[in-house]
Amino acid sequence: MSESRIRKLPEQLINQIAAGEVVERPASVVKELLENSLDAGADRIEVDLEQGGKRLIRIRDNGAGMDQDELPLAVARHATSKIRSLRDLEQVGSLGFRGEALPSIASVSRLTVSSRQQRADLAWALDCDGSDAPLELRPAAHPPGTTVEVRDLFFNTPGRRKFLRADRTEFSHVQETIKRLALSRFDFSLQLRHNERVITQLPSAQPGTEGAEERVARLLGEAFVEHALHVEVEAAGLALSGWIALPTFSRVQSDLQYFYVNGRVVKDRMASHAIRRAYHDVLFKDRYPAYLLYLDVDPGQVDVNVHPAKHEVRFRDGRLIYDFLFRHLHQILEQVRPERGTESAARPFSAPPGQARPVFQAPSQERMDFPVREARALYGEPAPVTEMTGPGSAPAAEPERPSAPPSRPTPAAQAHPRPVPDPDSRDAPPLGYAVAQVHGIYIIAQNANGVVLVDMHAAHERIVYERLKRAMEASGIAAQSLLVPLSLAVSPQEAELAEVHVEAFARLGLEVDRSGPETVLVRQVPVLLQHADVEALVRDVLSDLAVTGDASRLQAQYNHVLATMACHGSVRANRQLSQAEMNALLRDMEQTPNSGQCNHGRPTWTQLSVDELDRLFLRGQ
């Protein structure tokens, strides 16, 4: 019976339990100590590791430092200089605030803390070894700032130590942690050494300068900066800045996604959903967008005291955050289109000096096997632009290219162009003027920068798709009533959502009524989705409403149907277009939102500059 009595745990065991929540591996230690350095106002930080951090982690900064009386408190639980009242906790502005990091680390390692305040004559140090032994302060030689040295992590908890991976693996986790902190702000320099070898050296920089962009390029790659749109928007008391990559720079995994709230890197499911939705009809299937975004919000509107490791936050008004992220990022991406006088994508706003300018450099495109018609019907009568004389061809019976070459050689592009407007003139359009058509699939055009290559089906597919979306928005969603209402068994929470969001369903062409505590009736469905699985559709919408507060799944269904309609209503391969029709297609691309990608997320055009052409043919070498 005595073994089951309630009693207070020993202080050492309390700290080790807390360490289980805060300290998972060397990277966890590095994160906590770097955050402490930044909170102390350091603008120069040095990190030394041995054996991936398992043997040694040493972090030195030039921050405010601590005096003789503060050092013992620094390794005591729930002792901090960052929080004094509940009001402070509700408006946290620092990275750390729990007062658990150093005591938790001290309980599972051999810890030494040395520190000197900026104007003090003497530094002090203390040692901890995970035991209950009394702490002893000793004078030390140390410049202004603090050094924390962590040796033999988990030496006294072998069960935890055996879960550590190889040195290389642990070091890679540390590098990722340092990358996230180095991207959180740019006003501090950082040096990383591993086994006495310098790995990373980052100078400090100010936001909006060339140095800040260089840091982003070093940590995320030059390609990211070259293919990124700069973001700078403010509304409703929120501010969003950073970079989002063009859809053509999508990734096979979500490894290049960094989202910061008030300078704290977080993983937020709702924010991730909003950002991904902004890319929803310009991203290739099973691909992930790349971004580096900073959201600034009133600290009182976000709860950072959600997770011991501070990886998660909770917004007071999640719906406002979701709408803000989706709406502005969607608008920025929607305005990416060819721009006069450059080979870059459209810029919805001017980037600050030194910030990344968006460059549309589409990768090579996979062939899309779609047959074509309706060019003249959609574009109207050809404008009185000089026609190209060449053999026309009837639409092919099959969309595939011929599997064998013709019996006698024929040119890939047969055209005898008459004079066309000068593509180098001041009034020349961004995509220039059509010169020829290749293999019945690609359009070659000349603009002021060089040669433009266009996949005519992919480009026209996007144009038709955007027209269909605008038409649906203008005329509303046609709906039809079911002869027999569909009854669905749902959870009480889902039934409540259906009742609360009746108007949201109605705007999307669905009539859904709550008929019982755990039952809803579907009385009306959109005509466009009459052949869809209505039950699955309604359940998906309820799931979206529960997670994000909107019915984005239903909108995605509409877009899918419209994209299919656009695919079948677009100019098809193996159809010869006149020069007027090709130029009309180019002009429409310049005016159409998201014209850089087709409905499937594939690129629609790419540019080869004169310099690139010169390099291909070794001109000037």
Side-chain angles (χ1 to χ4, degrees), residues 178-179 182-183 200 202 214-221 258:
I178 289 177
K179 179 192 295 185
L183 289 170
T200 302
L202 298 174
E214 287 176 358
R215 177 178 289 198
V216 173
R218 285 192 59 183
L219 295 174
L220 301 185
Y258 297 88

Side-chain angles (χ1 to χ4, degrees), residues 61-78:
D61 67 54
N62 66 340
M66 293 174 281
D67 63 21
Q68 182 179 1
D69 296 331
E70 288 180 304
L71 270 180
L73 288 174
V75 293
R77 294 190 69 232
H78 305 311

Side-chain angles (χ1 to χ4, degrees), residues 223-229 244-252 256 278-285 287-291 333 336-337 343-346 357-366 453 455 458 462 589 594-607:
F224 172 78
V225 173
E226 291 172 359
H227 293 79
L229 298 164
I244 57 173
L246 289 164
T248 47
F249 190 73
S250 60
R251 315 276 290 180
V252 295
L256 217 166
Y279 280 85
H280 74 280
D281 64 352
V282 294
L283 206 63
F284 193 64
K285 62 180 180 180
R287 305 281 292 186
Y288 294 88
Y291 53 82
L333 290 167
V336 175
R337 64 191 74 173
E343 59 188 274
S344 62
R357 301 300 296 270
V359 177
F360 192 96
Q361 188 80 28
S364 58
Q365 174 162 303
E366 301 174 20
L453 301 176
D455 182 326
R462 169 59 68 178
M589 289 176 64
N594 302 313
S595 62
Q597 296 79 37
C598 74
N599 312 339
H600 312 284
R602 291 174 177 148
T604 59
W605 69 282
T606 191
Q607 168 91 48

Side-chain angles (χ1 to χ4, degrees), residues 379 443 456 459-460 463 581-589:
Y379 290 117
I443 293 172
M456 68 180 194
H460 195 205
I463 292 167
E581 290 168 333
M582 289 188 286
N583 281 322
L585 177 62
L586 298 178
R587 301 295 80 79
D588 272 353
M589 289 176 64

Side-chain angles (χ1 to χ4, degrees), residues 532-551:
D533 185 336
V534 176
E535 178 178 349
L537 181 61
V538 172
R539 293 190 187 280
D540 285 345
V541 173
L542 288 172
S543 175
D544 285 340
L545 289 171
V547 175
T548 66
D550 79 343

Side-chain angles (χ1 to χ4, degrees), residues 205-216 353-355:
Q206 292 301 314
T209 64
E210 186 176 348
E213 183 180 321
E214 287 176 358
R215 177 178 289 198
V216 173
Q355 296 289 21

Side-chain angles (χ1 to χ4, degrees), residues 155-266:
F155 80 97
N156 55 353
T157 52
R160 299 282 306 280
R161 188 172 180 85
K162 71 179 182 181
F163 282 100
L164 295 180
R165 304 303 181 188
D167 294 355
R168 179 180 299 178
T169 302
E170 294 300 337
F171 181 62
S172 69
H173 285 287
V174 172
Q175 284 184 297
E176 179 62 25
T177 296
I178 289 177
K179 179 192 295 185
R180 291 179 181 274
L181 266 296
L183 289 170
S184 70
R185 47 195 283 189
F186 304 95
D187 59 349
F188 69 96
S189 65
L190 187 144
Q191 179 180 248
L192 169 63
R193 288 187 293 264
H194 186 217
N195 295 334
E196 301 184 352
R197 176 169 158 260
V198 175
I199 304 299
T200 302
Q201 187 90 40
L202 298 174
S204 63
Q206 292 301 314
T209 64
E210 186 176 348
E213 183 180 321
E214 287 176 358
R215 177 178 289 198
V216 173
R218 285 192 59 183
L219 295 174
L220 301 185
E222 291 281 354
F224 172 78
V225 173
E226 291 172 359
H227 293 79
L229 298 164
H230 182 72
V231 176
E232 196 77 47
V233 292
E234 291 187 31
L238 305 172
L240 183 67
S241 61
W243 294 266
I244 57 173
L246 289 164
T248 47
F249 190 73
S250 60
R251 315 276 290 180
V252 295
Q253 55 189 358
S254 58
D255 62 335
L256 217 166
Q257 298 181 346
Y258 297 88
F259 183 66
Y260 295 81
V261 177
N262 294 345
R264 183 191 307 278
V265 62
V266 299

